[in-house]
Amino acid sequence: AVYQNELLAVGRGEDAREMRVAVVSATYFDLFDAHPVVGRFFDATDDSPSSPAQVVVLGTTLWRTRFGSRRDIVGQQLLVGGLNATIIGVAPDGFVGAEPSEPSLAFIPATAYAAANFPGAVKSDGLQWLYMLVRRKPEASLAATASDLTHAFERSWEAERALDPQRDPVQVARPHAVMLPVKDSRVGGGGRSAPILLLVFGVAGVVLLIACANVANLLLGRAVGRRREIAVRLALGISRSRLVSQLLVESLLLAFLAGFAGVAIGESGQTILKSLFLPDAAAIGVLGDTRSLVFTSVAALLAGVLTGLTPALQSVRTELTSALKSGPRESGGRRSKTRMVLMIAQGALAVFLLVGAGVFVRSLRNVTSVRLGYDVEPLLYVETNLRNAKLSDSAQYQLSVKLAEKARALPGVRSAALVMTIPLRGMMMESFAVPGIDSADALGHFALQMGERDFFRTMGTRILRGRGFDSTDGPLSEHVVVVSDGMAKKLWPRENALGKCIKIGEDTMPCTRVIGIAENVKMNDIVVDEGLQYYLSIDQRRSAGASLFIRMDRDAESFAETTRKGLQPLMPGSSYLTVNPMRRILDPMLSSWRMGATMFLLFGILALVLAAVGLYSVIAYNVAQRTQELGLRIALGAHARDVLRMILGEGLRFGLAGIVVGALIALAAGHWVQPMLYQESARDPLVFAVAAGVLATVAIAASAIPARRAMRLDPSIALRTE
């Protein structure tokens, strides 16, 4: 199946709203276990290239909000983009297709959309703007499938070249298919969020382990206080298995109460997390998702068993005679060693999470400080949608020029410029020839951008050498080009690129002279981008379909609506335009690093608090158990500072042991974390040092309160303590 998400106006007049609409083939619905709740999905007859049908399938959200969930809507007309579409069905609730991060409100046939917007492209390979979904056979490998699709693409390319001899041969164009699992490409951040989400899931599991260790520690301490009670029960004839069952039930009750609390927090907190990291994703409530509830129940069951089993087993291994005679003081070192191990494990896992938080925060700082080659904060981009207005290419160009002139006169506008493509939203490519180079296209993928005279000033792209476009670069003057620094070094590595000749299209075309060298920009990706760009003048080419960039004198977002209202009167008929800040494109691409930094930091702080509470409970319990010993030491002349040093030293030893183990875990995990970071080492010594310092400080602080209490012991009272 093929698909693409488009922002289209849905409705007429005042009711028209721009919505995300999925342009899909008829086979799209067959890939999912989905059935219409009203009417039907469109089929191959509706999606025929020879006679595409103008039909639409509504998403449940649009059906409810626009049509009140009425079931008699089949057959009604709905204007979707330029299609006067007939409603034929409604998709089931929750159906979002291949991209849950960008849920669609309606679905229209790809051939009908293409026929209305790209006449002539339906019967050729002009539908390359569509993504393809394939279901592999179980025995077929990813590489083999990609190879088969590439061969099919090459055959299709050659068939098109037979009809269009000017098209580049396969050896030059190098068409190929790239395959990715849907789970890697359907979330924000260019596919980077999927591994981050899995990592966050694992981090949540680490915090759960810390909490389990903490509760197990507390239950071990509580079991010591119940030694006499348990001994009495055993002496009265209760079986050990029944007693273990009772203690496990107590632990499970605690775990399930915590599970209910977790579900409540998840239900209320998912809105916050969605708004921060996946604002366009479909909302899925925890209470309404059976899988989440089942998983929570299983997690609570495992946590209850994990925390309660060891304390329960150790409780029933009591020697009755000594337990009935003794007080609640702990005898023997076995349980004490178990608590020490649990305490060290808490500290180690906390260090691991603190290291993760540190490297992700530094990675986020690195990626947000990357020079994109253009400014973001002051920029608005304007896109036009002609809808049903039929304008020639010349008329479209003149409309774009009028919009730019009008924009320059609006309040708060510093400059405006027409462009052909919007950075980070796709790129344009065109073959070119360079004298002295056999195949320039073989040296890399060169992105083409077109802009008018104010382009570089509006975008904030620096000209390193030469000049940008100006008023002398008209349609009758020599055609000129500005190339990026990366492109200049790639094509002319040891020469001055200024004045060089580039022949756009075929090598028989006249020269387009290089007049300037611009800084490299991030055109298609903020990380993986070679910086191979060249710029042609829209004023010389008079290209139709241009977008508009506007540079404001301060934060652009506050001007978006007033700018739209100022420009909309120039749009003919029912056509319209949209105005958005450039920040809106960039933010989703940063979501994976922001998610990693935020969630690691929150979980790291939570783990640190849990470790501090656990350490405090262990030290405080040990002080209480050693009350007589400490009283005896003081009575024999020990100073308060000696007691303080002894208690703080015990806490610090726990902390240092946790630091060492946690650092080793973090070093071992660095191999898996490194691919998710940007210009930051997963084994950054500064981050490790800070994490170690934080845990050592917390260990001393958690030990200080019990130590202070021990310093104030009255020997006469302490010696009489049971």
Side-chain angles (χ1 to χ4, degrees):
V2 295
Y3 78 97
Q4 176 63 282
N5 284 341
E6 298 284 350
L7 289 173
L8 302 176
V10 177
R12 300 176 184 273
E14 292 296 324
D15 292 333
R17 295 290 185 275
E18 190 172 65
M19 301 178 183
R20 197 175 300 277
V21 176
V23 180
V24 303
S25 63
T27 52
Y28 182 80
F29 298 102
D30 296 335
L31 288 172
F32 303 94
D33 184 19
H35 305 281
V37 294
V38 173
R40 64 178 179 88
F41 293 143
F42 46 81
D43 53 27
T45 305
D46 301 312
D47 195 34
S48 169
S50 58
S51 57
Q54 297 195 10
V55 295
V56 60
V57 173
L58 304 181
T60 310
T61 301
L62 181 60
W63 179 46
R64 288 171 180 166
T65 56
R66 183 67 67 89
F67 299 96
S69 299
R70 297 200 336 264
R71 305 184 71 86
D72 59 350
I73 60 167
V74 174
Q76 293 187 24
Q77 301 299 118
L78 180 66
L79 191 60
V80 181
L83 300 181
N84 190 24
T86 302
I87 300 173
I88 62 170
V90 178
D93 190 18
F95 178 74
V96 293
E99 297 193 8
S101 62
E102 296 180 346
S104 299
L105 299 179
F107 305 84
I108 58 176
T111 51
Y113 177 80
N117 293 275
F118 315 109
V122 178
K123 297 181 180 180
S124 71
D125 70 344
L127 300 183
Q128 296 176 42
W129 48 274
L130 290 165
Y131 290 106
M132 184 184 297
L133 282 173
V134 300
R135 187 188 299 278
R136 281 189 296 137
K137 294 179 180 178
E139 67 274 11
S141 69
L142 195 66
T145 310
S147 177
D148 288 346
L149 287 176
T150 295
H151 292 322
F153 194 5
E154 290 173 347
R155 291 194 298 272
S156 173
W157 188 276
E158 289 294 351
E160 282 295 317
R161 190 165 182 264
L163 302 176
D164 181 12
Q166 293 186 347
R167 176 178 289 239
D168 290 332
V170 168
Q171 294 77 9
V172 174
R174 296 181 298 169
H176 61 283
V178 178
M179 296 189 66
L180 291 172
V182 172
K183 68 181 180 63
D184 288 345
S185 59
R186 68 183 183 181
V187 291
R192 298 185 187 94
S193 291
I196 293 290
L197 285 169
L198 291 175
L199 184 61
V200 169
F201 179 78
V203 168
V206 171
V207 174
L208 180 60
L209 287 176
I210 295 174
C212 288
N214 209 327
V215 174
N217 234 330
L218 295 173
L219 290 177
L220 281 168
R222 184 168 179 267
V224 173
R226 298 177 66 183
R227 287 179 70 242
R228 180 174 288 177
E229 171 202 339
I230 292 172
V232 170
R233 289 173 178 267
L234 291 172
L236 292 175
I238 295 179
S239 67
R240 293 179 185 268
S241 60
R242 183 174 177 182
L243 195 55
V244 168
S245 300
Q246 177 192 329
L247 296 175
L248 275 179
V249 166
E250 294 176 2
S251 175
L252 288 171
L253 178 62
L254 181 65
F256 276 101
L257 288 175
F260 291 138
V263 169
I265 294 171
E267 181 69 21
S268 59
Q270 59 110 3
T271 303
I272 300 174
L273 296 177
K274 176 180 175 298
S275 64
L276 286 175
F277 305 124
L278 296 170
D280 295 328
I284 300 177
V286 178
L287 291 176
D289 185 42
T290 305
R291 293 170 300 177
S292 296
L293 295 177
V294 170
F295 176 82
T296 304
S297 301
V298 173
L301 177 64
L302 292 176
V305 173
L306 189 63
T307 57
L309 187 59
T310 299
L313 291 176
Q314 290 198 1
S315 296
V316 298
R317 290 175 185 168
T318 303
E319 187 180 345
L320 296 186
T321 304
S322 62
L324 290 172
K325 291 180 179 179
S326 68
R329 292 195 306 272
E330 184 177 4
S331 60
R334 184 174 182 181
R335 277 166 287 193
S336 193
K337 290 179 181 178
T338 303
R339 301 190 72 191
M340 289 180 184
V341 170
L342 291 174
M343 188 61 253
I344 292 172
Q346 290 183 63
L349 294 175
V351 168
F352 166 67
L353 294 184
L354 289 174
V355 170
V359 295
F360 269 101
V361 167
R362 287 171 66 88
S363 180
L364 176 63
R365 185 197 64 183
N366 292 341
V367 78
T368 52
S369 62
V370 168
R371 171 66 185 168
L372 299 176
Y374 44 82
D375 300 326
V376 173
E377 298 303 335
L379 289 180
L380 293 172
Y381 66 93
V382 181
E383 295 179 288
T384 58
N385 190 316
L386 294 179
R387 214 171 190 186
N388 293 323
K390 302 298 182 182
L391 298 179
S392 65
D393 288 351
S394 176
Q396 288 185 46
Y397 173 74
Q398 292 301 325
L399 173 62
S400 299
V401 171
K402 290 179 182 178
L403 288 171
E405 292 174 349
K406 176 68 173 178
R408 294 185 185 104
L410 294 176
V413 174
R414 285 191 175 182
S415 62
L418 296 176
V419 300
M420 284 305 296
T421 58
I422 297 172
L424 305 179
R425 281 273 299 270
M427 62 182 186
M428 183 167 52
M429 299 180 71
E430 185 174 346
S431 296
F432 62 87
V434 178
I437 299 178
D438 291 337
S439 175
D441 290 340
L443 296 178
H445 299 288
F446 297 89
L448 167 63
Q449 176 65 288
M450 292 189 188
E452 60 176 344
R453 60 183 182 275
D454 286 334
F455 171 77
F456 295 103
R457 183 164 66 92
T458 300
M459 299 298 293
T461 302
R462 297 190 295 262
I463 299 295
L464 305 179
R465 296 185 298 280
R467 67 175 179 87
F469 305 129
D470 59 28
S471 57
T472 64
D473 301 317
L476 301 180
S477 60
E478 181 186 29
H479 283 199
V480 295
V481 60
V482 175
V483 300
S484 68
D485 186 52
M487 180 172 175
K489 291 176 179 177
K490 180 74 74 171
L491 297 180
W492 306 284
R494 290 176 294 276
E495 303 177 55
N496 183 6
L498 294 177
K500 293 293 185 180
C501 169
I502 294 179
K503 297 184 177 183
I504 307 299
E506 300 295 327
D507 57 6
T508 57
M509 299 296 290
C511 280
T512 300
R513 294 292 173 187
V514 177
I515 60 169
I517 312 295
E519 66 174 315
N520 297 335
V521 305
K522 302 292 186 181
M523 195 70 184
N524 197 46
D525 190 275
I526 58 178
V527 174
V528 185
D529 199 308
E530 295 182 274
L532 304 179
Q533 302 93 24
Y534 62 105
Y535 306 86
L536 301 177
S537 169
I538 283 183
D539 294 326
Q540 291 187 329
R541 308 258 169 182
R542 296 186 176 273
S543 303
S547 298
L548 176 65
F549 265 100
I550 302 174
R551 186 181 187 90
M552 312 305 298
D553 57 11
R554 54 185 184 274
D555 179 51
E557 189 160 6
S558 59
F559 287 94
E561 182 58 21
T562 56
T563 301
R564 187 195 67 80
K565 290 180 178 178
L567 298 179
Q568 180 61 41
L570 295 178
M571 299 299 293
S574 61
S575 62
Y576 67 96
L577 51 80
T578 58
V579 181
N580 290 295
M582 185 65 187
R583 169 59 62 184
R584 192 166 296 177
I585 298 178
L586 181 62
D587 281 348
M589 296 192 168
L590 300 174
S591 64
S592 62
W593 291 286
R594 188 174 290 117
M595 182 188 303
T598 304
M599 300 308 292
F600 251 110
L601 189 60
L602 291 177
F603 281 131
I605 293 173
L606 179 57
L608 195 63
V609 171
L610 288 173
V613 171
L615 181 60
Y616 167 78
S617 67
V618 170
I619 300 297
Y621 184 82
N622 287 346
V623 169
Q625 290 296 105
R626 298 169 64 185
T627 300
Q628 285 188 338
E629 174 200 336
L630 294 174
L632 182 60
R633 287 176 180 270
I634 295 173
L636 293 176
H639 294 289
R641 64 176 178 273
D642 297 323
V643 176
L644 176 65
R645 188 183 302 112
M646 181 177 64
I647 303 300
L648 290 181
E650 183 180 4
L652 192 56
R653 282 194 296 275
F654 281 130
L656 292 176
I659 289 170
V660 172
V661 177
L664 293 175
I665 295 173
L667 286 171
H671 174 72
W672 290 278
V673 175
Q674 188 62 57
M676 306 175 204
L677 304 176
Y678 180 72
Q679 294 183 355
E680 170 64 18
S681 172
R683 299 179 174 91
D684 189 331
L686 178 61
V687 173
F688 275 73
V690 171
V694 168
L695 186 65
T697 303
V698 168
I700 293 173
S703 307
I705 298 175
R708 189 178 180 185
R709 188 179 303 140
M711 290 168 57
R712 295 177 175 179
L713 282 175
D714 185 338
S716 61
I717 298 176
L719 291 173
R720 292 196 298 269
T721 300
E722 177 59 38

